[in-house]
Amino acid sequence: MTGKTAPPAKKTAPAAAKKKAVPAPKEETAPKEEASPKEEAAPAPATEEPQAPEHPLEQPPVPRDEPAPIPTEAGAEVTPVPAEGSPAPPAEPPAPAPEPKLEKPKEEPPSCPLSLAVEEVSENSFTLTWKAPEQMGRAGLDGYVVEICKDGSSEWKAVNREPFLSTRYTIPNLSSGDKIHVRVMAVSASGASIPATLEQPVLIREILQLPKIRMPRHLRETYIRRVGDAVNIMIPFQGKPQPEVSWTKGGQPLDTNRVNIRTMARDTIFYIRQAQRGDSGKYELTVQINGAEDKATLDIQVVEPPGPPQNLKLVDVWGFNVALEWTPPVDNGNSEIKGYRVQKSDKKSGKWFTVLERCTRTSCTISDLIIGNTYSFRVFSENICGLSDSAAIASGVAYIEKTKTTYQPEKIPQRDMMEPPKFTQPLTDRTTTRGYSTHLFCSVRGFPQPKIIWLKNQMEIREDPKYIALIDQGVCSLEIRKPGPFDGGVYTCKAVNPLGEASVDCRLDVKGEI
């Protein structure tokens, strides 16, 4: 560092001089801040040497290489003005002017949240659930706002400060016994949606267990009973505190003269002493605890056998067949007709026999009847209870007549089948080994069947055990058993009938053993 030190006689002066010299830089802070490139984009003014203080020897020297920071009123450091002879800092380019912004068209707010419901209620809070709205807008959904209003008041109060994206929210710090109205709105940059509101206020009361109906599996389908049977059904449920249980039919209370209901802590009993067809229908069971409830439907169908078919007619009789027609019964027994059973009875035996079971049409054809018999017919209708108590009987009877027929054989033109013998397959030359049996084959046709004669070297072979001659379906064969050298030669097969004769021959060579 370069500078002059103060003489030793004035050592106490710097402390006092410093206290007086502090305000001097404060007065120069304002012009130096104006010259700062951080605050102004204009080029810096020409550097001027700051005015020297009144006591220059009492101020601590500052190095010339690096300008010392000058304190400001707020304690921040301001970039000092460069010393004399140093180059000026480059000027910063002016900031570009901001572009005018186009106004965007106003977007529609999101639609209303869906399926708002109470999930749980306690003695000082309750929990809501809902589903996201169908339309959220281009800007997207910022969240939901939940508002409450006490029953009897018109002042709505938001319970969450900022919108949230969850579809489940618990409203705390409520007083037991209060009835609270609730609504939920979806919020986006375009605005708030139409609120989703609960139809009934929520009673703040502790619920230890939500109501739940445990419908037995066999009661989830239609429960079918016959007329006169007893209907005794027990349906369990759960819920704390004790839920309220109610039964309705078609939205109306039950007729206590027909239906008895007994409800206990854990189940309800539905009882009808003698079921009638009028007891059929859908019964609704509701288990409710304040605003929370559970519902189940019991479908009962009381049935009985159907009535008999109507207008059974014997339409036609031909050959061994009978055609019948009828119409469905007037009373189906409160159940669908599954089919018809058709029976016949002949006059001789008087017994009824089933010919068709569960015929799904209202007409049929009965075949394979016996000639000369007289038949009667009846038809039963059938539903889930079984056959009708009575049957429809055809008014007429069917008599299967004996038809007189004369057999006339078909005239076949006579054809001359006579034919002289003709070989269709000739004999072929063969070579065999001594001691090994061999066969000669040929085939012949002719009518009448020709007589076969075998010859060896033009000599007829008669009853000789060495030769076995056979003929089957026109195939002629000659077996030569263990031939020797003298068995070789020319063999001829001759076929003879009254219309002529034909012959074929071949040569057989017998070789000695190898």
Side-chain angles (χ1 to χ4, degrees):
M1 294 178 60
T2 58
K4 296 180 182 181
T5 59
K10 296 180 181 180
K11 289 182 180 178
T12 57
K18 288 179 181 178
K19 293 179 181 180
K20 295 178 181 181
V22 170
K26 290 181 181 178
E27 295 175 0
E28 295 179 0
T29 302
K32 288 183 180 180
E33 287 179 354
E34 294 175 1
S36 174
K38 295 181 181 178
E39 298 180 3
E40 293 185 8
T47 57
E48 295 183 3
E49 197 167 332
Q51 188 176 358
E54 295 179 0
H55 303 281
L57 296 177
E58 296 175 358
Q59 187 173 359
V62 179
R64 292 182 181 179
D65 297 339
E66 298 179 0
I70 300 175
T72 62
E73 293 181 2
E77 292 184 1
V78 179
T79 306
V81 179
E84 237 179 84
S86 63
E92 294 183 2
E99 296 180 359
K101 295 184 179 179
L102 299 176
E103 293 185 0
K104 296 182 179 179
K106 189 175 181 181
E107 297 180 358
E108 294 184 0
S111 59
C112 175
L114 305 174
S115 304
L116 179 62
V118 178
E119 183 183 73
E120 186 179 359
V121 180
S122 66
E123 59 184 356
N124 56 7
S125 67
F126 65 93
T127 302
L128 297 172
T129 59
W130 62 89
K131 293 182 180 179
E134 293 182 354
Q135 299 178 359
M136 299 186 182
R138 296 182 180 178
L141 197 64
D142 292 341
Y144 302 96
V145 174
V146 180
E147 295 182 347
I148 60 174
C149 175
K150 289 188 177 181
D151 192 23
S153 174
S154 60
E155 181 182 357
W156 289 91
K157 178 181 178 183
V159 295
N160 57 313
R161 296 181 180 178
E162 298 293 336
F164 60 91
L165 292 174
S166 175
T167 57
R168 185 176 184 273
Y169 189 78
T170 301
I171 302 176
N173 304 325
L174 300 174
S175 300
S176 180
D178 287 347
K179 291 185 178 180
I180 305 297
H181 295 272
V182 187
R183 67 184 183 185
V184 178
M185 295 179 290
V187 180
S188 69
S190 305
S193 69
I194 299 173
T197 309
L198 286 176
E199 295 181 359
Q200 300 294 331
V202 181
L203 177 61
I204 308 304
R205 179 184 175 188
E206 183 179 8
I207 300 180
L208 301 179
Q209 189 177 31
L210 291 175
K212 181 68 176 179
I213 299 173
R214 301 294 184 184
M215 181 67 76
R217 185 179 299 273
H218 70 281
L219 297 179
R220 297 175 188 175
E221 300 178 354
T222 302
Y223 185 69
I224 301 175
R225 304 296 292 174
R226 293 176 67 106
V227 171
D229 291 351
V231 179
N232 191 4
I233 298 173
M234 183 182 70
I235 301 177
F237 59 85
Q238 64 183 27
K240 290 183 181 180
Q242 181 66 31
E244 298 178 3
V245 179
S246 61
W247 285 88
T248 58
K249 180 183 180 182
Q252 300 297 325
L254 301 184
D255 182 5
T256 55
N257 295 327
R258 296 290 311 152
V259 183
N260 296 322
I261 302 295
R262 180 182 178 185
T263 300
M264 293 180 286
R266 292 292 178 266
D267 54 52
T268 179
I269 297 175
F270 181 97
Y271 180 72
I272 301 176
R273 184 179 297 276
Q274 289 184 345
Q276 301 296 328
R277 289 173 60 172
D279 297 326
S280 302
K282 293 184 177 182
Y283 296 82
E284 295 181 355
L285 170 62
T286 303
V287 178
Q288 185 176 11
I289 302 178
N290 299 331
E293 66 178 19
D294 191 19
K295 293 184 177 181
T297 301
L298 175 63
D299 189 3
I300 297 178
Q301 183 179 2
V302 182
V303 299
E304 61 182 346
Q310 302 293 312
N311 305 321
L312 177 59
K313 297 178 182 179
L314 190 64
V315 178
D316 193 10
V317 179
W318 74 100
F320 313 106
N321 309 302
V322 171
L324 300 176
E325 285 185 357
W326 62 90
T327 57
V330 177
D331 182 13
N332 63 357
N334 198 28
S335 178
E336 180 184 2
I337 298 295
K338 293 190 173 183
Y340 301 92
R341 180 174 296 185
V342 182
Q343 294 182 343
K344 69 178 181 179
S345 172
D346 63 276
K347 189 175 181 180
K348 294 179 180 179
S349 66
K351 295 182 179 179
W352 290 98
F353 299 93
T354 300
V355 291
L356 289 175
E357 288 188 356
R358 288 201 176 181
C359 176
T360 56
R361 298 180 299 174
T362 56
S363 63
C364 71
T365 299
I366 302 173
S367 304
D368 300 330
L369 300 176
I370 300 174
I371 294 176
N373 283 1
T374 301
Y375 290 94
S376 299
F377 300 93
R378 68 181 183 182
V379 179
F380 292 87
S381 54
E382 184 177 5
N383 66 359
I384 194 172
C385 285
L387 297 176
S388 56
D389 296 333
S390 60
I393 301 177
S395 57
V397 293
Y399 175 69
I400 310 302
E401 296 181 355
K402 295 180 180 180
T403 57
K404 296 180 180 180
T405 57
T406 303
Y407 176 70
Q408 296 179 354
E410 185 179 358
K411 294 182 179 180
I412 301 174
Q414 296 292 332
R415 181 180 177 185
D416 187 8
M417 303 295 294
M418 305 298 285
E419 183 182 8
K422 181 180 179 181
F423 282 92
T424 58
Q425 182 68 33
L427 293 171
T428 56
D429 295 342
R430 295 183 62 86
T431 300
T432 185
T433 305
R434 179 182 178 182
Y436 290 90
S437 299
T438 186
H439 293 76
L440 301 178
F441 293 97
C442 64
S443 59
V444 66
R445 70 181 184 185
F447 190 82
Q449 184 176 353
K451 179 182 178 182
I452 304 301
I453 302 172
W454 285 94
L455 299 95
K456 174 187 175 186
N457 296 329
Q458 303 301 321
M459 297 293 291
E460 183 179 353
I461 299 174
R462 296 186 178 275
E463 296 179 1
D464 188 344
K466 191 174 187 67
Y467 301 99
I468 300 175
L470 299 173
I471 182 170
D472 184 19
Q473 301 293 327
V475 177
C476 305
S477 65
L478 178 66
E479 180 183 0
I480 305 170
R481 302 177 61 187
K482 296 182 180 181
F486 299 101
D487 293 322
V490 178
Y491 286 83
T492 302
C493 180
K494 182 185 290 188
V496 181
N497 74 355
L499 299 180
E501 64 178 32
S503 64
V504 291
D505 53 23
C506 69
R507 185 172 185 83
L508 177 65
D509 293 330
V510 180
K511 293 183 179 182
E513 295 182 2
I514 300 175

